[in-house]
């Protein structure tokens, strides 16, 4: 059964990647890979995990809070070094650059160097 207006208006036109159920309607792994290539990033399993975490967070929160998101990413990747590790794999910032690759609009304040962007 159709769940979104896009599915109602264009039945069968969209096919979401089952691995990314909270992804925006116009997002695909191919679009993320193309954007990553433009930013000189090769997407690894950890990149995909962060992208999925961002998409899930945005799906569950109407008004994303950059500090909460930053802290959640830090906790989710704690065993690998937390936010420091995420800055290594997302040199443009885990929130700002991660959101771009996830097809999401970064939350207000994400371009602040202290919260998630070095650009």
């Amino acid at each position: 059964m159709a769940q979104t207006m896009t599915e109602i208006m264009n039945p069968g036109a969209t096919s979401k990647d089952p691995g990314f159920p909270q992804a925006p309607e116009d997002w695909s792994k191919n679009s993320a890979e193309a954007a990553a290539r433009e930013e000189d990033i090769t997407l690894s399993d950890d990149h995909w995990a962060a992208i999925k975490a961002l998409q899930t967070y945005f799906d569950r929160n109407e008004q994303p809070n950059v500090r909460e998101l930053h802290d959640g990413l830090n906790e989710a990747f704690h065993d690998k070094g937390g936010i420091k590790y995420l800055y290594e794999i997302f040199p443009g910032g885990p929130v700002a650059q991660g959101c771009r690759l996830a097809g999401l609009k970064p939350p207000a304040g994400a371009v602040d160097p202290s919260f998630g962007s070095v650009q």
Side-chain angles (χ1 to χ4, degrees), residues 1 9 16 25-26 28 41 51 54 57-58 68-70 92 94-96 99 103 111:
M1 180 167 176
M9 299 298 291
K16 285 190 124 179
E25 292 293 325
D26 58 346
S28 70
I41 294 175
I51 287 169
L54 288 164
Y57 178 83
F58 273 74
E68 183 179 273
L69 181 55
H70 193 264
V95 175
C99 282
V111 294

Side-chain angles (χ1 to χ4, degrees), residues 49-91:
I51 287 169
K52 190 172 188 174
L54 288 164
Q55 291 172 343
T56 300
Y57 178 83
F58 273 74
D59 185 60
R60 294 180 181 164
N61 296 276
E62 285 185 33
Q63 293 191 328
N65 177 300
V66 71
R67 172 59 90 181
E68 183 179 273
L69 181 55
H70 193 264
D71 291 347
L73 288 171
N74 185 45
E75 185 176 325
F77 287 86
H78 179 75
D79 62 329
K80 294 189 177 203
I83 208 69
K84 182 178 179 183
Y85 171 71
L86 290 174
Y87 271 100
E88 291 173 13
I89 67 171
F90 290 107

